[in-house]
Amino acid sequence: MRTLIKDGTVLSPSGGVRADVLVTDERITAVTEPGVVETADTVLDATGKYVLPGGIDAHTHLEMPFGGTFSADTFETGTKAAAWGGTTTIIDFAVQAKGTSLLSTLDKWHEKADGNCAIDYGFHMIVSDVNDGTLKEMETCVGAGVSSFKMFMAYPGVFYSTDGEILRAMRKATETGAMIMMHAENGIAIDELVAAALAAGHTDPVQHGYTRPSALEGEATSRAITLARVTGAPLYVVHLSAAEALSAVAEARDAGQNVFAETCPQYLYLSIEDLAKPGFEGAKYVASPPLREKRHQADLWRGLRTNDLSVVSTDHCPFCFKDQKELGRGDFSKIPNGMPGVEHRMDLLHQGVVAGEISLGRWVETCSTTPARMFGLYPRKGVLAPGSDADIVIYDPAARQTLSAETHHMAVDYSAYEGFEIAGKVDTVLSRGKIVVSSAGFTGSTSHGNFLSRELCQYLN
Ligand code: DUC
Ligand code: ZN
Ligand code: ZN
Ligand code: ZN
């Protein structure tokens, strides 16, 4: 079965060229000058459109347990929504509960995901219980294709690890070549600020932002970088939101340390003003780290241009406004932490291209090529080249759309981007050669996605 995508502008980190892409079964078999291959079983005309490697969202939480509830998207609904938005790979987080093993956690996540994904998927592992057994199991995880481990400097009593525990896990990461991913917020200090706010009767959603100041993200990021330097471990700072944290990352990178960071669309486009919306509306925007003052946004865009921010992921972690965010009415600290976004990352970052914040090349690089290399999936994913999986997005920059909960495909009852006008829209999506989204709608299947056993990060000095 051959599919020819002809007359489009093929994008890569170095920009765009007019080219045709030939797909044979699940792989790309040729990228040629226009017209070289004359016909195929299916011919897709991409005139006036971009042809790019499918998006890779390296940070999602599907069916994630949180305080007695679960994030609202299942692997089925979440991966379908991702496909609608031009994302053809996700890396989701398996969550170790305290007192359980990493390998039983991994089994559990395979049970949830296997056979239920519309696109290919991998896992990171959240380590919340550092002990000799866990450290040993990290090696087995790496062998099983789970080569990155998230730790938390926030949430004391739940996911939090002490500096000593982080140090031990980092040593193991150095030994195995695995990546340590860090939620860098000073949770000990934050918990004091939260308790003080509640004691003073401050219960509204905006308090979530006030009690998690950007300085405490900067402090934790610097500390994580220091621990990584002492141990030699590669470090990837997840969901970076604050200028102070970005400065720390930039300084470490300038010094040649293996430190990387991602940001998320919500930190580029939304702010604490959304958290401060009247009534309980702000609960829709509760995520950690919190939405910041607008002044941080220009720094984050600059970080994307300079590669101090290498990746854009969504931290997709949706909770319904009506029945889940409600848990925190009257106590902001009980609002489930997370926002929906897996469907809109490619569109929102394309807006950054339209606005002149980033180039077309950086759009593809931060949303596909770099996540593939960062997490050991390249060149199978993240590039349109012979031999690569035919995960391909045809994107129409001339189309227009308005984001809304009425039309999105995520299983959540609100949109964080309600009413946003977007220049550009996904036209057609192929996952391993199969057309899964087109003008005919979703034509994939939720048993199509394969588990991706990942190699190590491909950027280490
Ligand atoms: N961190 C995440 O990465 N996702 C959801 C909540 C959190 O604290
Ligand atoms: Zn986090
Ligand atoms: Zn997350
Ligand atoms: Zn719901």
Side-chain angles (χ1 to χ4, degrees):
M1 170 71 184
R2 296 186 347 146
T3 303
L4 178 65
I5 303 171
K6 64 192 223 28
D7 296 323
T9 300
V10 172
L11 301 185
S12 73
S14 43
V17 287
R18 287 285 305 284
D20 293 352
V21 180
L22 181 67
V23 172
T24 306
D25 301 323
E26 297 199 347
R27 301 277 177 94
I28 293 168
T29 40
V31 180
T32 70
E33 284 184 19
V36 171
V37 180
E38 286 181 357
T39 189
D41 303 295
T42 304
V43 177
L44 302 174
D45 180 4
T47 305
K49 300 183 178 120
Y50 299 136
V51 181
L52 57 142
I56 300 176
D57 191 340
H59 190 152
T60 67
H61 301 278
L62 303 176
E63 298 177 42
M64 188 193 80
F66 187 99
T69 187
F70 288 85
S71 58
D73 266 313
T74 61
F75 280 90
E76 289 202 8
T77 63
T79 55
K80 273 171 78 172
W84 273 104
T87 286
T88 52
T89 298
I90 59 159
I91 312 179
D92 201 82
F93 287 83
V95 187
Q96 180 195 29
K98 281 211 195 294
T100 68
S101 72
L102 295 187
L103 295 183
S104 66
T105 303
L106 191 53
D107 285 347
K108 213 188 226 177
W109 254 259
H110 272 297
E111 255 171 57
K112 293 182 198 228
D114 294 356
N116 296 316
C117 290
I119 54 172
D120 290 351
Y121 60 97
F123 296 129
H124 309 286
M125 178 62 70
I126 287 178
V127 176
S128 63
D129 198 344
V130 177
N131 55 53
D132 290 346
T134 299
L135 294 170
K136 186 81 198 144
E137 283 183 314
M138 284 173 69
E139 294 168 26
T140 317
C141 285
V142 172
V146 177
S147 51
S148 39
F149 300 87
K150 184 181 175 190
M151 304 189 78
F152 286 78
M153 302 169 105
Y155 305 117
V158 191
F159 298 120
Y160 175 85
S161 292
T162 64
D163 289 358
E165 288 165 340
I166 291 168
L167 192 105
R168 292 182 73 196
M170 281 183 168
R171 279 206 181 118
K172 182 56 77 173
T174 307
E175 202 181 300
T176 56
M179 179 75 84
I180 294 294
M181 307 171 80
M182 191 60 74
H183 181 127
E185 286 187 292
N186 183 328
I188 301 283
I190 286 168
D191 273 12
E192 289 300 328
L193 297 178
V194 169
L198 290 173
H202 300 148
T203 61
D204 287 346
V206 71
Q207 296 296 328
H208 176 76
Y210 295 159
T211 55
R212 307 180 86 94
S214 59
L216 293 182
E217 185 181 341
E219 183 277 328
T221 303
S222 299
R223 188 156 35 99
I225 288 168
T226 303
L227 293 171
R229 185 161 63 236
V230 167
T231 54
L235 174 70
Y236 178 94
V237 180
V238 292
H239 47 49
L240 188 148
S241 72
E244 296 91 324
L246 179 59
S247 301
V249 167
E251 189 183 317
R253 289 176 60 78
D254 287 348
Q257 201 178 333
N258 283 317
V259 171
F260 311 93
E262 69 175 15
T263 192
C264 313
Q266 55 270 34
Y267 303 119
L268 296 164
Y269 286 103
L270 304 174
S271 75
I272 194 159
E273 290 171 24
D274 293 288
L275 257 182
K277 282 183 178 169
F280 194 58
E281 190 74 8
K284 292 178 178 174
Y285 303 93
V286 167
S288 293
L291 299 181
R292 301 293 183 193
E293 289 161 32
K294 281 198 173 131
R295 68 179 169 85
H296 294 268
Q297 292 173 356
D299 292 271
L300 298 181
W301 283 113
R302 192 192 65 242
L304 286 174
R305 290 190 292 275
T306 61
N307 202 37
D308 288 319
L309 295 171
S310 321
V311 171
V312 179
S313 306
T314 60
D315 197 5
H316 175 75
C317 191
F319 294 99
C320 286
F321 184 60
K322 281 208 185 77
D323 53 343
Q324 296 186 295
K325 291 287 187 177
E326 196 59 35
L327 296 169
R329 196 184 277 277
D331 179 352
F332 69 91
S333 72
K334 296 204 164 58
I335 300 170
N337 273 218
M339 286 171 53
V342 74
E343 188 169 348
H344 300 315
R345 182 182 59 129
M346 301 304 284
D347 284 326
L348 287 165
L349 271 290
H350 182 255
Q351 280 311 110
V353 177
V354 172
E357 294 284 3
I358 54 170
S359 65
L360 273 175
R362 277 303 277 168
W363 180 43
V364 172
E365 194 165 30
T366 57
C367 291
S368 178
T369 310
T370 299
R373 298 185 67 183
M374 189 69 70
F375 295 111
L377 291 170
Y378 188 92
R380 181 169 172 192
K381 307 291 189 189
V383 60
L384 300 182
S388 297
D389 280 356
D391 287 2
I392 304 173
V393 173
I394 304 176
Y395 194 86
D396 183 357
R400 296 290 177 269
Q401 57 173 321
T402 305
L403 304 185
S404 173
E406 300 280 311
T407 46
H408 76 203
H409 301 86
M410 300 175 284
V412 60
D413 61 358
Y414 75 96
S415 173
Y417 304 98
E418 189 67 41
F420 268 53
E421 308 273 354
I422 301 285
K425 194 173 194 303
V426 166
D427 177 276
T428 304
V429 179
L430 285 77
S431 168
R432 294 196 335 273
K434 181 166 178 24
I435 296 176
V436 294
V437 171
S438 69
S439 56
F442 178 77
T443 52
S445 106
T446 48
S447 58
H448 169 81
N450 284 342
F451 172 70
L452 297 166
S453 179
R454 297 183 294 108
E455 308 285 328
L456 301 178
C457 172
Q458 294 163 330
Y459 284 116
L460 305 185
N461 296 326

